[in-house]
Amino acid sequence: MILDPGRAAEIAANLTEVRQRMAAAAERSGRHPADVRLVAVSKTYPLTDIAAAYAAGQREFGENRLEELWPKVAAARAEGLDAICWHMIGVIQSRKTGDAVGPVALIHAVDRVKIAQRLSRDAQAAGCVLDVLLEVNVSGEASKHGFAPAEVLAVAPELLTLPGIRIGGLMTMAPFEAVPEATRPVFRALRQLRDELALRFPGDNWRELSMGMTNDFEIAIEEGATIVRIGSAIFGARNG
Ligand SMILES: *Cc1c(COP(=O)(O)O)cnc(C)c1O
């Protein structure tokens, strides 16, 4: 694989800047920078860009479509990028849950009870347990996926009993805001919902808050994000 040195340098510089901004946001809010993980969202970008980020020390990558995830997992391994932790950050269609069972560190966007049930069933059939987050539609926008906050509280007991999935926390997408500060109430509400779940259903299921993207990750970190999912700030703007 041939890396374009200019492109590789650009990605490395972007990563450095993102990491610095993440650390500054963590420190502003009295948090430890190491408590926030960066998932580099590589969707639509080629393996050479992933390799450039990998060379710059990045190890966690996210894809939002299974059709793009698995070929990249295989290609990365074939190129010797052995230490990647892959994240499936997009929603999964109910007839595709079987395709989601595989070497993926975390499935971020379980957005319905039916998906949770099917993932659990398919994981069990494969003899494994999948680590997942529940996607919450905090803002209530019709265009967004996810459980309503009250719904999560209602279905959590059932989801926690599913043997093929292990719930590790919550994920959300804030609406795009011209002024990033406007996303703060969404992230705060997700953290408060997490705190409520942890109180009602004690255990190790509510550690992670996957929230914050290019436009709003600093606000999300200030509000408690443990994972940010960042694409364009690292790889550049995507077409479409
Ligand atoms: C594409 C995507 C991201 C990253 O978006 P950027 O604005 O490019 O940082 C984060 N989360 C999900 C679920 C995505 O699909």
Side-chain angles (χ1 to χ4, degrees), residues 4-21:
D4 168 20
R7 175 67 176 150
E10 177 192 345
I11 289 171
N14 289 345
L15 264 172
T16 300
E17 193 196 322
V18 165
R19 289 192 189 117
Q20 282 168 351
R21 287 171 58 191

Side-chain angles (χ1 to χ4, degrees), residues 15-116:
L15 264 172
T16 300
E17 193 196 322
V18 165
R19 289 192 189 117
Q20 282 168 351
R21 287 171 58 191
M22 286 176 60
E27 274 156 9
R28 266 201 302 282
S29 47
R31 305 183 59 207
H32 199 287
D35 293 341
V36 190
R37 286 148 68 192
L38 168 62
V39 172
V41 178
S42 47
K43 65 187 183 196
T44 78
Y45 282 99
L47 191 66
T48 46
D49 286 350
I50 293 173
Y54 188 93
Q58 182 62 28
R59 291 294 178 269
E60 302 196 81
F61 291 87
E63 291 285 336
N64 70 334
R65 294 170 53 244
L66 293 169
E67 298 82 354
E68 189 174 351
L69 171 69
W70 297 128
K72 279 182 168 166
V73 171
R77 188 165 302 153
E79 290 290 344
L81 311 178
D82 292 327
I84 294 185
C85 267
W86 290 97
H87 292 249
M88 173 56 186
I89 62 172
V91 292
I92 297 164
Q93 292 168 284
S94 59
R95 61 192 164 78
K96 295 266 184 71
T97 53
D99 297 346
V101 179
V104 56
L106 187 59
I107 293 177
H108 287 235
V110 173
D111 65 334
R112 287 178 283 152
V113 171
K114 182 176 167 187
I115 301 296

Side-chain angles (χ1 to χ4, degrees), residues 39 41 43 63-64 89-91 108-109 135 171-173 210 212-215 228-234 236-238:
V39 172
V41 178
K43 65 187 183 196
E63 291 285 336
N64 70 334
I89 62 172
V91 292
H108 287 235
E135 178 169 5
M171 175 269 205
T172 200
M173 288 177 83
S210 169
M213 316 193 341
T214 291
N215 189 51
V228 291
R229 311 175 310 267
I230 301 180
S232 356
I234 298 169
R238 292 176 300 271

